């Protein structure tokens, strides 16, 4: 895909190279799988394929940064200090988006928000947010029990795929006695328990 120049001054090949520099070969392969999947979902559901490509290529940009760097930014840049009680799993998207903005010059708020939400989701998600959240889960390199079902749902109903992923991720985290970030619970309450059950929107 050729980029228009609207969201990044880099050509796709240049952006790919910048991302690749910051991660293992294995993770870069995952990123390319997310991109391919995100572009297909964008085409199917009528989102910008270019934004899907850029958000997918950069979603895990910060994943291999040291904890100290995230902690420094959380202390410095006005984040909720409760974030310090979590780790890379939560930081690399939520805080990583600011590194994408600063270091790669991507300022499009929709792309940055899709990066921020890609791990936890959110009660409020745009079409692009859902595409990146789901593509990250079902890209061709993923192999875990339930991924086939998730892939099938993504072809039929993106919201159902969001709900499926959220429920199974939460189950997995609870099984491993991992700390649950409040936003992950908000995502569950909205997408799994049900939009209809919301009284205060
Ligand atoms: O970065 P990826 O491995 O491609 O995928 P990801 O960003 O969706 O997820 C990173 C990890 O974060 C994954 O193992 C699931 C985990 N995670 C998602 N929500 C939470 C969480 N971990 C904790 N501790 N708490 C959460 O609420
Ligand atoms: Fe991630
Ligand atoms: Fe990822």
């Amino acid at each position: 895909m050729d980029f228009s120049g609207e969201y990044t001054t880099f050509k796709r090949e240049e952006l790919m190279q910048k991302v690749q520099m910051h991660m293992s070969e294995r993770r870069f392969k995952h990123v390319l799988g997310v991109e391919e999947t995100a572009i297909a979902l964008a085409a199917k559901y009528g989102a910008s394929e270019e934004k899907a490509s850029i958000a997918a290529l950069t979603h895990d940009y910060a994943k291999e940064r040291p904890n100290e760097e995230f902690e420094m930014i959380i202390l410095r840049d006005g984040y909720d200090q409760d974030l310090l009680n979590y780790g890379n799993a939560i930081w690399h998207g939520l805080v990583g988006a600011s590194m994408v903005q600063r270091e790669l010059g991507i300022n499009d708020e929709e792309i940055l928000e899709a990066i921020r939400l890609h791990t936890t989701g959110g009660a409020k998600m745009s079409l692009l947010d859902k595409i990146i959240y789901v593509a990250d889960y079902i890209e061709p390199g993923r192999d875990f029990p339930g991924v086939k079902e998730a892939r099938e749902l993504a072809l039929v109903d993106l919201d159902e795929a969001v709900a499926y992923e959220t429920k199974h991720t939460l189950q997995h985290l609870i099984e491993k006695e991992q700390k649950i970030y409040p936003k992950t619970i908000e995502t569950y309450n909205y997408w799994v328990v049900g939009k209809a059950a919301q009284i205060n929107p």
Side-chain angles (χ1 to χ4, degrees):
M1 126 151 343
D2 281 335
F3 291 164
S4 65
E6 210 177 322
Y7 312 115
T8 170
T9 55
F10 299 120
K11 297 188 183 81
R12 176 171 172 275
E13 294 294 322
E14 292 170 333
L15 190 61
M16 274 173 59
Q17 204 174 38
K18 300 227 171 258
V19 168
Q20 185 172 24
M21 271 175 35
H22 287 271
M23 58 185 64
S24 69
E25 223 174 287
R26 182 187 152 83
R27 176 154 289 116
F28 185 62
K29 200 161 172 267
H30 158 72
V31 162
L32 294 182
V34 176
E35 190 208 18
E36 176 193 322
T37 307
I39 289 173
L41 291 174
K44 176 167 175 64
Y45 291 105
S48 159
E49 293 176 43
E50 181 178 357
K51 284 197 186 199
S53 167
I54 296 169
L57 287 175
T58 55
H59 83 283
D60 279 339
Y61 175 73
K63 181 114 177 176
E64 296 185 9
R65 297 295 174 95
N67 286 348
E68 293 70 31
E69 193 176 341
F70 286 111
E71 285 160 353
M72 191 265 286
I73 292 174
I74 292 164
L75 288 166
R76 191 190 63 189
D77 289 352
Y79 289 90
D80 183 342
Q81 299 298 296
D82 177 51
L83 260 179
L84 293 170
N85 297 313
Y86 294 84
N88 176 281
I90 299 302
W91 297 339
H92 79 278
L94 206 60
V95 182
S98 74
M99 298 171 183
V100 170
Q101 181 170 30
R102 254 200 302 267
E103 297 172 23
L104 301 176
I106 292 166
N107 293 305
D108 184 83
E109 196 41 52
E110 279 183 28
I111 293 173
L112 295 173
E113 185 70 354
I115 298 168
R116 284 185 205 114
L117 295 187
H118 88 262
T119 305
T120 63
K124 272 205 172 70
M125 279 196 269
S126 71
L127 179 56
L128 185 67
D129 298 339
K130 293 176 195 171
I131 285 170
I132 300 301
Y133 182 73
V134 169
D136 190 24
Y137 195 65
I138 66 168
E139 62 97 358
R142 294 283 200 207
D143 185 16
F144 54 84
V147 71
K148 183 167 175 277
E149 172 94 28
R151 288 184 180 123
E152 286 164 5
L153 283 174
L155 295 177
V156 180
D157 186 328
L158 193 60
D159 288 1
E160 290 291 337
V162 168
Y164 184 90
E165 169 177 348
T166 301
K167 178 174 169 173
H168 287 263
T169 299
L170 192 54
Q171 271 175 343
H172 176 75
L173 292 169
I174 289 170
E175 201 50 56
K176 293 200 308 173
E177 298 188 4
Q178 296 280 309
K179 187 166 191 161
I180 311 296
Y181 188 63
K183 196 140 185 119
T184 303
I185 301 194
E186 279 176 33
T187 308
Y188 171 81
N189 284 343
Y190 187 80
W191 293 100
V192 181
V193 178
K195 294 165 256 191
Q198 298 288 325
I199 296 166
N200 295 308

